[in-house]
Amino acid sequence: MKKTAMTIQRGIQWSFILLVPVVLSSCSLFSSGFQSIGFGDDAIAEPVATLADLRPAVIPDLSKELPVVDIDRLVATYREVLDVTDDPDLRLRVMQRLAGLEMARGEQKLYEQESVGGQFNLAIDAYQRLLKNHPDHPDNDGLMYQLSKAYDLSGQSEQSMSILTQLVSQYPQSEHYVEAQFRRAEIFFAVPDYRSAEATYADVIIRGKESSHYQNALYMVGWSQFKRERYEASLKAFSEVLDLNVPADNNIESLPRGRRELTQDTFDIMSVVFSYLEGPQTIADVYQSLGERHYLPLVYDNLGAHYLKQERYRDSAGAYRAYIDRYPQSDQSPVFYASLIEAFVAAGFPDDVLLEKKNYVAHYGIYSNYWQQKQELSREYIRPFLEKYLPELARHFHAKAQSTMTSLNSGDGQDAQKKVSIGKKLKPADIAVLKQQATDDYLEAGNYYQEFIDTFPADNQVPEMQYLLAESRFEAGVYSEAIEAYEIVAYGYPDHKRGAVAGYAAIVAYGLILESVDPGEKSSGMTEQETWTRLKISSQLRFADTYQDDPRAMTVLAKSAEELLALKEYQQAIDAATRLTLQQKTPERSLRKTSWLVIGHSQFELENYPEAEKAYQQTLLILDGNDDGKSAIIDRLAASVYKQAERALALGDQSLAIDQFLRVAAVAPMSAISVTAQYDAADTLMAAERYTQAIAVMASFRNEYPDSPLSADIPAKLVVAYEQSGQWEGAANELTSIYESSTNEEVQQESLFQAAEFYEKAGENDLAILRYRTYANTYPGQYAAAMEARYKLSELYGETSQADKQRFWLRKIISVDRNAAEQRTDRSRYLAAYSSSVLADDAFQSFAKLRLTLPLKSSLKKKKKSLNTTLTAYQSLVDYGVEEFATLATYRIADVYHQLSRDLMNSERPGNLDALALEQYELLLEEQAFPFEEQAIDIHETNVQRSWQGVYDHWVKQSFIVLEGLMPARYAKEEKQLEYANEIY
């Protein structure tokens, strides 16, 4: 241990000469770790210095003259006194003085190194004789004290120890007792006999705090326990030393040098003890037992420093962390956290340094609970570290994010590939992960920039931090926050370096937001897109006003005008564009073009068509002949004239409107709207019901603009014009054209069917048949319309006497209806019933034509077969359930039976029959015919009974007529009508 001025003073005992050799001898005695310095009330035990602790040796200043003491003359004088006096008391005092002089002579020789050994023999002999000759003298405790010292200085430690032991045993109340015990403890410690040393030091302590050796004894008790490896026990003694010395404010630098060094040495040895045990956990356990101490922060701090000196960096950090965890709200905690970070810095652990700086900000930063709960004075402990850490963290994450993105943007990720894994090709998923990592780092950097701004709003770094915050938010894609920060830089600070850059960057950020917003999502009555566009425009106009000399200002102003136009803020758009046209410095051609176009479009939307026409004319004057947008502007010019035509039309002046429409071609013959204008002229003629003129204009339009999309509508309009003027064949031809040219199947279907109808109206039956047949074959899935087409075909074939083709389509109708399932309708059932009735009538006609000839059996067989066919046909007709055809079928079935009865009676008779045989033959025929007639009557009666349910159609009437002939008694009666009188009875 290093020596102090106090230490040297404590080494001066019994004489006024500094006994350097004695001190050095003592050092050798305590080479085990501690030394005893001095021999008296001021003696103190100190730890032995290591090589690292040694300071350059200090040579005593020998230039100063020491007092000259002639010890030999004094000895001679005292011996003369002995020779002349017999007074026992005087002789005793003289002998004591002589012993003291011999002691002084020995010390002088020791100091002057005149001889080696034996310097104190005369003093030892003198003290021994005094003690031997006066064993009961009350002052013998003092003589024993001096004798022990002489032995000690002569290097006879055992003899010194023996005398000291005798002294404390015989004189427990001696004023030298505490000193003697302390010396004994020192010798025990040096032997070493640490158990005895501990007990002896403890006895010194028991004698009370008044002793000058009390504090040193406490200190050495701790050391004795330490040497005995009673580490936890030693901490109590060391703590008591600290209790006596550490000021209430823990500022040990305010202590006198000796106490300061003793206190620091105590902290040092305690740190060693804690490091031998469980470190900070032992601190917690010990002071839970001993009770809290105000100097506990110094205990943890010294332990952390001790670990750091030993390069036990994580243990050092752990010591500081233990205090922080135990006393999280302490003012010392943020300071210790900084020491924790410095331990990792010293260790060269960058990841730990980064993590702990982040944690420091999280625990103690302006947003933390700790900060909120502390007064301003306590926050002053934190600010210096935040002022350092926040920019470091922000720039670290900013640089990290930039590095990641630079790697990804270089060679499609090749650099990043090398950094991630040499030879391993990055997959899209890997690139996505890296991009997300960069985004997260940008966000984190921005958070630290923001926290610095909030923590140190008056710091001169704030403008730069605000700009870097904006940059990091921009790169992270958090454009709204980037805009806010950029605009603070641009308009909140007189930042000439970054102001314009920041203002323009905010505009760019607005644009990026607009690329991602949902154009349909609404908020506060406006779409999100509109809201952000308006904010962007406001920022642009502010930029143009603030940074008028910036080369981008006019471009920004032009963009604002365009966007105001898009928002339908027409007057504001005109104002912004007009500002651009009035600039002293003539804007470049593209900006002038934009400004006049915005004015033209806005005036157009405000329905100021003459002003719009003027603006478009100005635009055309600016353009060169090769401008890609020239044709579009010509169209807009044409539109201005066209709108004037529309206005005339709205006022009811159709003639003027037609003239204006046609004038468009003169103003802008190559414009797309010129075509529309001519088309609208035809439309206006149609509206005026001037169909003949309209047909002529439309025909001309179609010839002149065959490729115009509007030409596609001409056939439909011509259909109307032809139809309204009764030109059916012309209408049918146009419909045919529509059918053949259209790609819309629905249009094709309708056009084809209507063309067939119009050809039919025009009397062009062959063309009508062709169109109906094409429809029926092409669109069978259009069930109802296809059914009508088949019916029309059957009718037209009937009219043209093509019976076979007629029957083909009748059978087709029946077949399709039968298989229609859910598509079947009342109309299709009716048409099928009608078709069945025609075919059934065909069967009836075939039946009726068959004559019964001889041999009767053979012809009758054919007749019955035809009968069955006919009956089946009519029965199928009944099954349709259509009342009109049910009565027909019933009538025909009855007629079939009646016809068979008549045919039997009218059948050919055999020629070889005599009269009687013929009569018998006739009777047999009647017997055969009668049941058929009876059956016919029954069926007719069934038909007429329908009248009872209100059905009285043609075939019911016919059944009545037949029954009148067959059963006149029942059905041929005349109706009697009652006459009603008008009188009131």
Side-chain angles (χ1 to χ4, degrees):
M1 289 293 174
K2 56 189 176 183
K3 302 205 170 35
T4 65
M6 181 183 290
T7 306
I8 295 172
Q9 181 185 8
R10 289 170 180 166
I12 302 173
Q13 289 292 321
W14 296 340
S15 71
F16 300 101
I17 302 172
L18 182 61
L19 302 180
V20 177
V22 176
V23 174
L24 295 175
S25 174
S26 298
C27 288
S28 65
L29 290 173
F30 290 84
S31 60
S32 59
F34 288 82
Q35 63 184 16
S36 176
I37 300 176
F39 201 105
D41 290 344
D42 292 328
I44 186 170
E46 289 194 349
V48 173
T50 65
L51 290 176
D53 294 327
L54 290 178
R55 294 182 178 179
V58 178
I59 301 175
D61 187 0
L62 300 180
S63 65
K64 294 182 180 180
E65 293 185 1
L66 295 174
V68 177
V69 180
D70 192 345
I71 295 178
D72 290 339
R73 183 180 297 178
L74 287 175
V75 170
T77 301
Y78 280 119
R79 288 191 185 282
E80 289 177 359
V81 173
L82 287 177
D83 291 339
V84 297
T85 184
D86 292 328
D87 185 344
D89 290 336
L90 179 59
R91 288 182 64 83
L92 178 59
R93 288 196 299 274
V94 171
M95 290 177 68
Q96 290 174 343
R97 183 57 178 151
L98 285 170
L101 289 171
E102 292 298 340
M103 186 71 177
R105 192 202 306 271
E107 290 179 351
Q108 185 176 4
K109 290 179 180 180
L110 182 64
Y111 174 75
E112 295 174 352
Q113 297 184 357
E114 291 182 354
S115 60
V116 179
Q119 297 96 326
F120 297 98
N121 288 345
L122 293 176
I124 291 171
D125 290 342
Y127 286 129
Q128 286 180 338
R129 284 195 302 272
L130 285 170
L131 290 171
K132 182 179 180 180
N133 294 332
H134 305 281
D136 299 323
H137 195 281
D139 293 332
N140 281 355
D141 60 327
L143 296 177
M144 287 181 177
Y145 176 75
Q146 293 295 337
L147 177 59
S148 69
K149 180 182 179 182
Y151 277 130
D152 184 54
L153 293 176
S154 65
Q156 300 179 64
S157 298
E158 292 184 4
Q159 289 83 347
S160 178
M161 182 66 166
S162 176
I163 296 302
L164 290 172
T165 301
Q166 185 179 352
L167 187 155
V168 298
S169 176
Q170 294 179 4
Y171 301 98
Q173 301 304 318
S174 171
E175 61 178 320
H176 300 293
Y177 180 88
V178 173
E179 170 73 15
Q181 279 291 62
F182 187 81
R183 280 295 136 202
R184 292 180 72 241
E186 293 279 86
I187 295 170
F188 280 135
F189 192 91
V191 170
D193 180 357
Y194 299 122
R195 181 184 298 277
S196 299
E198 179 184 348
T200 308
Y201 283 129
D203 188 49
V204 173
I205 295 169
I206 291 172
R207 290 289 175 157
K209 298 181 179 180
E210 296 77 11
S211 167
S212 61
H213 295 290
Y214 177 80
Q215 188 173 159
N216 290 334
L218 277 175
Y219 181 73
M220 293 307 296
V221 163
W223 266 102
S224 300
Q225 292 168 334
F226 174 83
K227 288 294 185 178
R228 295 178 60 201
E229 299 184 0
R230 297 180 62 211
Y231 299 125
E232 291 191 20
S234 71
L235 293 171
K236 181 177 183 301
F238 290 136
S239 296
E240 291 179 2
V241 174
L242 296 179
D243 291 344
L244 295 173
N245 290 281
V246 180
D249 62 358
N250 287 341
N251 182 15
I252 64 173
E253 294 300 319
S254 65
L255 296 173
R257 180 179 177 184
R259 289 180 62 195
R260 181 174 71 247
E261 292 182 354
L262 173 65
T263 302
Q264 186 57 57
D265 288 345
T266 304
F267 278 122
D268 290 343
I269 186 57
M270 290 177 75
S271 296
V272 173
V273 173
F274 288 127
S275 71
Y276 285 177
L277 299 173
E278 298 298 324
Q281 182 58 50
T282 302
I283 296 176
D285 295 342
V286 166
Y287 287 102
Q288 184 176 3
S289 173
L290 296 181
E292 291 285 319
R293 297 294 199 273
H294 66 280
Y295 52 78
L296 272 178
L298 298 179
V299 175
Y300 282 94
D301 191 22
N302 276 277
L303 177 59
H306 174 76
Y307 281 137
L308 188 63
K309 188 182 296 183
Q310 293 182 322
E311 299 184 358
R312 294 170 60 179
Y313 302 111
R314 292 202 181 277
D315 289 337
S316 176
Y320 292 118
R321 196 186 304 279
Y323 179 86
I324 295 165
D325 292 344
R326 188 174 180 187
Y327 305 102
Q329 296 303 311
S330 167
D331 286 349
Q332 195 68 29
S333 287
V335 180
F336 278 5
Y337 214 121
S339 297
L340 178 156
I341 293 170
E342 289 306 311
F344 287 130
V345 171
F349 296 162
D351 292 343
D352 293 281
V353 172
L354 177 65
L355 174 63
E356 298 306 340
K357 285 181 179 178
K358 290 173 59 178
N359 289 339
Y360 188 95
V361 172
H363 291 161
Y364 306 113
I366 193 172
Y367 306 139
S368 67
N369 291 331
Y370 183 94
W371 181 279
Q372 301 303 322
Q373 294 171 8
K374 289 294 181 179
Q375 299 298 319
E376 192 61 28
L377 182 62
S378 298
R379 294 172 181 171
E380 291 304 317
Y381 289 100
I382 308 170
R383 280 195 173 89
F385 301 112
L386 293 176
E387 191 171 14
K388 177 183 178 183
Y389 296 155
L390 285 170
E392 289 176 349
L393 288 167
R395 290 189 172 97
H396 167 82
F397 285 105
H398 203 149
K400 182 184 174 190
Q402 288 175 328
S403 176
T404 301
M405 292 309 298
T406 299
S407 298
L408 284 172
N409 293 331
S410 300
D412 296 327
Q414 293 304 311
D415 289 347
Q417 175 183 333
K418 293 176 183 177
K419 291 182 179 181
V420 175
S421 176
I422 296 176
K424 177 182 177 182
K425 185 176 181 181
L426 280 179
K427 298 178 181 178
D430 298 327
I431 293 175
V433 168
L434 287 173
K435 285 184 178 179
Q436 184 59 51
Q437 178 183 325
T439 298
D440 293 342
D441 288 338
Y442 276 125
L443 289 173
E444 193 154 7
N447 292 342
Y448 290 123
Y449 287 130
Q450 184 66 66
E451 189 160 354
F452 183 92
I453 294 166
D454 294 342
T455 308
F456 306 103
D459 194 283
N460 58 12
Q461 298 181 78
V462 166
E464 179 186 5
M465 293 292 178
Q466 193 79 52
Y467 182 76
L468 292 173
L469 166 62
E471 290 281 272
S472 60
R473 287 292 190 251
F474 183 92
E475 295 297 340
V478 187
Y479 300 120
S480 59
E481 295 182 21
I483 289 167
E484 181 180 359
Y486 278 133
E487 291 187 340
I488 290 173
V489 175
Y491 311 113
Y493 304 118
D495 193 339
H496 303 294
K497 179 180 178 182
R498 307 179 188 88
V501 174
Y504 192 78
I507 295 169
V508 173
Y510 276 117
L512 292 171
I513 288 176
L514 285 166
E515 289 179 3
S516 62
V517 297
D518 182 350
E521 186 174 344
K522 286 194 174 183
S523 176
S524 303
M526 287 191 292
T527 66
E528 190 176 0
Q529 185 178 47
E530 183 179 350
T531 299
W532 282 108
T533 300
R534 290 181 182 277
L535 291 171
K536 177 174 179 282
I537 293 169
S538 177
S539 184
Q540 289 171 170
L541 294 174
R542 191 177 186 185
F543 178 87
D545 288 339
T546 306
Y547 300 102
Q548 295 181 17
D549 296 332
D550 189 274
R552 295 165 291 193
M554 285 192 278
T555 301
V556 168
L557 189 59
K559 185 66 174 175
S560 300
E562 286 183 304
E563 290 173 340
L564 285 166
L565 172 63
L567 289 175
K568 300 182 181 181
E569 298 289 352
Y570 302 121
Q571 191 57 54
Q572 293 182 48
I574 292 169
D575 294 342
T578 302
R579 282 174 57 188
L580 194 60
T581 64
L582 298 176
Q583 289 287 324
Q584 291 183 353
K585 181 180 179 182
T586 304
E588 61 184 53
R589 178 179 297 191
S590 63
L591 297 181
R592 285 185 287 129
K593 169 187 171 182
T594 297
S595 63
W596 282 113
L597 273 178
V598 168
I599 294 171
H601 293 337
S602 299
Q603 295 287 14
F604 187 93
E605 295 299 331
L606 292 172
E607 299 183 2
N608 297 324
Y609 301 121
E611 290 79 3
E613 185 177 353
K614 293 175 185 178
Y616 292 133
Q617 292 287 8
Q618 285 291 330
T619 306
L620 290 171
L621 291 175
I622 295 170
L623 302 183
D624 58 31
N626 299 322
D627 194 295
D628 293 337
K630 187 171 184 178
S631 61
I633 298 169
I634 291 173
D635 285 343
R636 294 294 294 186
L637 175 62
S640 300
V641 179
Y642 181 87
K643 283 294 184 180
Q644 295 177 61
E646 285 188 323
R647 180 168 289 172
L649 187 62
L651 294 172
D653 192 341
Q654 291 180 327
S655 296
L656 178 60
I658 292 169
D659 291 341
Q660 292 284 8
F661 283 133
L662 296 176
R663 190 173 75 87
V664 172
V667 175
M670 301 305 294
S671 67
I673 205 168
S674 176
V675 180
T676 305
Q678 187 172 343
Y679 180 87
D680 286 345
D683 250 5
T684 307
L685 288 168
M686 289 284 290
E689 298 182 359
R690 293 155 62 178
Y691 298 116
T692 302
Q693 291 175 280
I695 290 170
V697 172
M698 285 189 285
S700 174
F701 180 92
R702 183 161 59 183
N703 292 332
E704 191 172 349
Y705 305 110
D707 298 326
S708 170
L710 294 174
S711 292
D713 291 338
I714 294 298
K717 291 182 177 294
L718 283 171
V719 168
V720 174
Y722 282 126
E723 183 180 6
Q724 292 297 323
S725 60
Q727 301 179 56
W728 302 112
E729 185 175 359
N733 289 336
E734 292 298 329
L735 286 167
T736 299
S737 176
I738 293 172
Y739 164 72
E740 292 172 346
S741 62
S742 176
T743 57
N744 185 311
E745 187 173 2
E746 184 176 352
V747 171
Q748 287 180 317
Q749 294 169 14
E750 292 179 359
S751 300
L752 182 60
F753 195 90
Q754 195 172 10
E757 289 182 319
F758 284 176
Y759 278 128
E760 187 179 359
K761 284 185 176 182
E764 296 290 340
N765 288 345
D766 290 342
L767 290 174
I769 288 172
L770 177 61
R771 299 294 179 262
Y772 281 130
R773 186 172 63 228
T774 301
Y775 189 95
N777 290 329
T778 306
Y779 305 111
Q782 298 299 312
Y783 182 74
M787 208 62 151
E788 293 296 335
R790 296 182 190 104
Y791 171 71
K792 286 288 187 180
L793 284 166
S794 70
E795 291 292 295
L796 288 170
Y797 279 127
E799 290 175 10
T800 56
S801 302
Q802 300 181 65
D804 291 343
K805 292 181 178 180
Q806 180 189 28
R807 268 49 178 186
F808 169 83
W809 287 107
L810 291 173
R811 285 191 291 271
K812 192 72 172 178
I813 290 170
I814 295 168
S815 173
V816 171
D817 176 73
R818 183 184 303 119
N819 298 313
E822 294 179 356
Q823 287 185 304
R824 196 178 193 194
T825 64
D826 290 343
R827 174 63 177 169
S828 70
R829 186 182 295 108
Y830 176 86
L831 293 177
Y834 165 76
S835 300
S836 296
S837 72
V838 174
L839 295 176
D841 284 347
D842 286 347
F844 177 79
Q845 293 301 323
S846 296
F847 168 77
K849 288 178 182 179
L850 285 175
R851 310 301 299 171
L852 292 177
T853 60
L854 296 176
L856 184 60
K857 183 176 181 181
S858 174
S859 61
L860 184 59
K861 181 178 180 182
K862 291 179 181 180
K863 189 76 171 178
K864 285 185 177 181
K865 181 178 179 182
S866 179
L867 178 141
N868 290 332
T869 300
T870 304
L871 290 177
T872 300
Y874 282 120
Q875 185 58 52
S876 296
L877 183 59
V878 172
D879 292 341
Y880 281 105
V882 178
E883 193 69 45
E884 176 183 345
F885 297 106
T887 58
L888 166 63
T890 304
Y891 177 85
R892 289 295 190 201
I893 291 170
D895 201 22
V896 166
Y897 286 114
H898 190 200
Q899 182 66 41
L900 180 58
S901 175
R902 289 197 304 270
D903 287 345
L904 283 171
M905 293 306 299
N906 295 326
S907 65
E908 184 179 3
R909 270 55 169 182
N912 56 357
L913 295 178
D914 56 22
L916 181 58
L918 182 60
E919 183 178 355
Q920 290 296 323
Y921 187 86
E922 292 286 346
L923 290 173
L924 287 173
L925 285 176
E926 288 180 4
E927 289 177 1
Q928 290 291 322
F930 181 74
F932 292 116
E933 185 173 323
E934 288 292 317
Q935 196 165 0
I937 291 170
D938 291 341
I939 294 172
H940 277 302
E941 286 186 328
T942 299
N943 210 24
V944 299
Q945 288 172 5
R946 296 176 191 272
S947 64
W948 303 345
Q949 284 82 37
V951 178
Y952 192 66
D953 62 7
H954 171 75
W955 299 108
V956 172
K957 291 178 181 179
Q958 290 300 314
S959 289
F960 270 113
I961 292 171
V962 172
L963 288 173
E964 285 178 4
L966 294 174
M967 300 179 69
R970 180 182 298 181
Y971 292 101
K973 296 179 181 179
E974 292 183 4
E975 295 182 1
K976 292 182 179 181
Q977 295 183 352
L978 297 177
E979 294 182 358
Y980 293 91
N982 292 326
E983 291 85 350
I984 299 175
Y985 295 94

